Amino acid sequence: MRFISGVQPSGTITLGNYIGAIRNFVLLQDDPKFTDFLVFVADMHAITVPQNKEELRKNIKSLVAIYLACGLDPKKVHIFIQSEVPAHAMLGWILQCNGYIGELERMTQYKDKSQRHQTDGVSVGLLTYPSLMAADILLYDTDLVPVGQDQKQHLELTRTLAERFNNKYGETFVVPDAYISKAGAKIMSLCDPTKKMSKSDPNPKGYISLLDDINVIKKKIKSAITDLDTKVKYDKENKPGISNLLTIMSCCTNKSIEELEEIYKDSNYATFKEDVANAVVSVIEPIQKKYYELINSKYLDEVLDEGKDYANYLANKKIAKVINKVGLGRKTK
Ligand code: AQP
């Protein structure tokens, strides 16, 4: 079974990206059911909203170093940059031509992001992004795609597009399932716990970046928005801030929410937040140490060159089949 997933280099990777995505990649790379494992840097997705060229390049490289620092092992995983495999863009276009505007307009992420980018203009790419995401997955005949809760809707659309294409042109794509981790799949903003934690949040207090200074991380957690009550209790509706911190702590300590509620039943918020901060730091500190050892090494390019060759090999085989099915260009064998 083949695994593929990616993260956008649209900022510095957050604790949300780590808990919802990268941590699962690291766990799954050792799962014997995956005989082939690919993880990419989704740089073409990042340009759906305005990016500074220098920042983007920096974030691409930084994400590769973060992947490795978090524990992805290039002996088990092929790591590549999406824009270095042109078949993603080509299949993205073909899928766009088989999708409907209404389907794309319904996507929650499009609605959220188009609101946020009203002033600098909403790109067409922001709307059609899910068809490129579908291409990222369908090119590789993947059965299982690990996604956070927030990406579930996009995966549903991928399934719809795959089924539609298969019905129209004959069996071509594997229809993938979502793999959603049970605990802490969705981490919320520290400033507004009703919104997800996002690396492109204009307010840096809302997210914890994996590269934030340790003292900054502690400060952000201590000033996280909570309610006026004093009880450390999981109640997503009435206590979203505390529930978010409980989720974060559960993910960082591998203790269940119930265990944590029991431990902190007589504690005040300040003590609890202090412990959450320490738990987060204990996860992030070793990642930062490895990251700074790697970020300027030639090893990153070696890893990316191998990944690029392998991904192009697989993707080119698939896109050739798709081209023939659709009737584009000249028939190839
Ligand atoms: N807050 C989150 N909690 C859990 N999982 C999350 N993911 C993102 N935010 C959270 C998961 O991270 C993976 C990669 O995400 P992405 O970078 O491709 O896109 P995104 O979901 O749009 O992430 P961001 O951080 O919110 O980026 P921006 O700000 O650029 O939009 C996905 O599997 C996602 O589920």
Side-chain angles (χ1 to χ4, degrees):
M1 201 186 266
R2 185 175 292 142
F3 173 105
I4 185 151
S5 195
V7 177
Q8 296 183 61
S10 42
T12 316
I13 300 312
T14 68
L15 186 66
N17 301 131
Y18 176 70
I19 290 174
I22 302 176
R23 192 178 68 144
N24 290 328
F25 307 167
V26 175
L27 289 173
L28 292 173
Q29 70 181 341
D30 290 316
D31 187 329
K33 81 168 158 286
F34 296 111
T35 45
D36 208 11
F37 212 102
L38 293 100
V39 173
F40 64 98
V41 175
D43 57 344
M44 280 156 57
H45 287 291
I47 61 166
T48 52
V49 298
Q51 297 289 340
N52 168 287
K53 176 182 158 186
E54 278 77 29
E55 281 292 307
L56 179 60
R57 280 267 156 82
K58 201 174 110 220
N59 287 332
I60 290 170
K61 196 172 158 203
S62 173
L63 177 50
V64 178
I66 284 180
Y67 279 154
L68 299 176
C70 289
L72 283 184
D73 177 357
K75 289 195 196 80
K76 301 172 189 159
V77 183
H78 306 277
I79 299 174
F80 70 95
I81 299 173
Q82 185 188 30
S83 63
E84 294 184 359
V85 184
H88 286 245
M90 184 141 195
L91 183 58
W93 175 252
I94 294 169
L95 293 174
Q96 266 184 57
C97 297
N98 286 279
Y100 301 116
I101 291 178
E103 284 172 330
L104 294 167
E105 281 174 339
R106 275 201 296 276
M107 297 292 124
T108 316
Q109 202 171 81
Y110 169 70
K111 289 187 201 158
D112 289 352
K113 283 198 179 172
S114 54
Q115 283 296 326
R116 259 195 271 154
H117 291 277
Q118 284 296 347
T119 46
D120 40 45
V122 179
S123 77
V124 176
L126 202 54
L127 176 68
T128 58
Y129 154 104
S131 22
L132 181 60
M133 179 175 155
D136 300 336
I137 297 164
L138 299 178
L139 266 181
Y140 298 92
D141 288 335
T142 334
D143 307 83
L144 207 56
V145 184
V147 287
Q149 280 289 353
D150 57 306
Q151 292 284 349
K152 226 177 128 190
Q153 205 186 18
H154 291 163
L155 191 73
E156 270 310 311
L157 182 71
T158 301
R159 292 170 54 86
T160 304
L161 290 172
E163 280 162 0
R164 186 175 299 150
F165 191 99
N166 287 348
N167 287 336
K168 195 165 164 189
Y169 298 104
E171 212 51 40
T172 310
F173 296 121
V174 171
V175 182
D177 285 314
Y179 169 89
I180 296 174
S181 83
K182 284 179 202 81
K186 192 168 180 183
I187 303 300
M188 311 308 279
S189 157
L190 299 178
C191 293
D192 177 356
T194 60
K195 282 205 189 116
K196 85 161 177 153
M197 182 181 284
S198 266
K199 62 177 113 61
S200 63
D201 185 340
N203 181 1
K205 287 186 184 152
Y207 59 81
I208 292 170
S209 143
L210 292 192
L211 300 179
D212 271 343
D213 182 87
I214 295 300
N215 288 322
V216 171
I217 295 176
K218 290 184 176 169
K219 239 189 232 157
K220 283 184 180 177
I221 292 176
K222 283 177 194 165
S223 50
I225 300 288
T226 44
D227 49 75
L228 294 172
D229 188 20
T230 51
K231 234 176 155 36
V232 179
K233 186 112 193 73
Y234 190 91
D235 177 350
K236 221 171 154 195
E237 202 123 289
N238 301 309
K239 298 164 74 69
I242 284 294
S243 303
N244 188 35
L245 292 179
L246 274 166
T247 305
I248 291 174
M249 188 157 190
S250 168
C251 292
C252 291
T253 58
N254 290 325
K255 287 196 171 82
S256 69
I257 304 269
E258 295 75 36
E259 269 177 88
L260 293 172
E261 282 177 334
E262 180 59 28
I263 295 171
Y264 293 100
K265 67 177 192 293
D266 300 319
S267 300
N268 58 28
Y269 283 180
T271 313
F272 172 61
K273 282 180 167 178
E274 173 97 35
D275 287 1
V276 175
N278 288 333
V280 169
V281 166
S282 71
V283 167
I284 291 185
E285 221 169 15
I287 294 176
Q288 289 193 355
K289 191 170 168 288
K290 281 193 215 136
Y291 173 88
Y292 289 111
E293 284 165 16
L294 285 162
I295 188 64
N296 290 316
S297 78
K298 288 213 172 64
Y299 182 55
L300 298 185
D301 280 321
E302 287 168 27
V303 168
L304 289 173
D305 286 344
E306 188 282 333
K308 171 183 157 181
D309 290 345
Y310 187 67
N312 271 301
Y313 164 73
L314 296 176
N316 288 341
K317 276 203 299 190
K318 192 76 189 179
I319 199 73
K321 267 191 200 155
V322 172
I323 284 172
N324 271 338
K325 296 242 174 177
V326 177
L328 292 169
R330 286 172 291 167
K331 188 158 173 57
T332 52
K333 283 185 189 131

